[in-house]
Amino acid sequence: MKAICLMAIFFAFSIIYFGLSFNIKNMNGNLYWNLVFLGFVDSVGFKMAIFVMGRLSRRLAVFLSMTIGVFFLVVLAIFQLTLDVSEFSTLFLVAALLGKFSSAITRSAARALAGESFPTSVRAMGSGLCGASTAFGGVVGAQLAYFGTKNPSIPFFAFAIIGIFGSLFSFLMTETKGQALQETVGRKRSRTLSVISTISNLVLPNNSKQETSNTQL
């Protein structure tokens, strides 16, 4: 259950994070300057995540940052439907940058939560699954951004809906801040380990085969 929740969180924030990056081409203004601004808010967001996680729990940091990002996505979608983009291009850009800023905090907080949630014996496997979910979410986010060429509000509504579900999954996780890292998988977690192993064999078959061959050697 823990692995499924973390994969859902990583999938959701990656769609928002990479989707906003790909969708920047559909916004008004100078494309190159917009990319510079995106990179700047990314760097600030990653640093801000350290401050946020120092004050809040891991779950609350993920939930609040993703929820705030969803709020700005909804604002962008409403702006696209009600305002003239050419007249309020700066307002659109600021809302998009704030959404990207929030998703950058979510990205760092989710990584901390995942690293502290998996036992040491399966942490690499769990991180690999979360990374695969992130990659898949990035692919889906790029495809959703493509629909922005048809209707600019569609990507923002889609990102917001996915973000809502992702933020809710954070409440299904166990808080890890201030807790000792689990070293091994106990009996109560054997079922979780079997689920992680099954999913990893499906998602990362080549790595599993390579590990098996190395073990035999």
Side-chain angles (χ1 to χ4, degrees), residues 1-202:
M1 185 64 180
K2 181 187 299 184
I4 300 298
C5 292
L6 283 171
M7 291 176 66
I9 292 173
F10 273 71
F11 176 76
F13 88 71
S14 65
I15 286 183
I16 299 174
Y17 183 85
F18 294 107
L20 283 172
S21 299
F22 285 112
N23 195 61
I24 198 69
K25 64 182 180 181
N26 299 322
M27 302 187 67
N28 284 3
N30 187 286
L31 175 62
Y32 302 102
W33 276 113
N34 290 348
L35 290 174
V36 170
F37 295 145
L38 281 181
F40 175 75
V41 297
D42 260 358
S43 61
V44 176
F46 293 148
K47 301 299 185 297
M48 181 61 67
I50 300 175
F51 173 80
V52 172
M53 288 187 290
R55 299 296 187 275
L56 303 176
S57 64
R58 302 289 188 260
R59 294 191 307 170
L60 189 58
V62 172
F63 172 76
L64 287 180
S65 58
M66 192 175 292
T67 302
I68 294 173
V70 167
F71 170 77
F72 286 111
L73 290 171
V74 173
V75 169
L76 281 168
I78 295 175
F79 282 173
Q80 289 282 1
L81 295 175
T82 58
L83 299 179
D84 185 359
V85 179
S86 59
E87 295 182 5
F88 299 92
S89 59
T90 302
L91 185 61
F92 276 81
L93 180 61
V94 170
L97 293 177
L98 290 174
K100 187 66 182 299
F101 174 78
S102 300
S103 64
I105 297 178
T106 305
R107 185 179 185 181
S108 297
R111 285 179 171 178
L113 180 62
E116 297 172 351
S117 295
F118 290 111
T120 302
S121 56
V122 295
R123 187 168 295 131
M125 185 188 302
S127 299
L129 290 175
C130 293
S133 299
T134 303
F136 183 64
V139 173
V140 175
Q143 301 307 313
L144 291 176
Y146 169 76
F147 289 105
T149 60
K150 309 296 182 181
N151 189 330
S153 63
I154 290 179
F156 299 120
F157 276 123
F159 298 157
I161 293 173
I162 295 171
I164 290 173
F165 285 103
S167 63
L168 294 178
F169 270 104
S170 63
F171 286 109
L172 300 178
M173 296 297 300
T174 303
E175 181 53 49
T176 60
K177 183 178 180 179
Q179 304 296 321
L181 295 179
Q182 186 179 355
E183 297 296 332
T184 59
V185 180
R187 293 181 179 179
K188 294 181 179 180
R189 299 184 181 272
S190 59
R191 185 177 179 182
T192 302
L193 177 59
S194 63
V195 172
I196 295 176
S197 300
T198 302
I199 297 175
S200 64
N201 289 333
L202 294 175

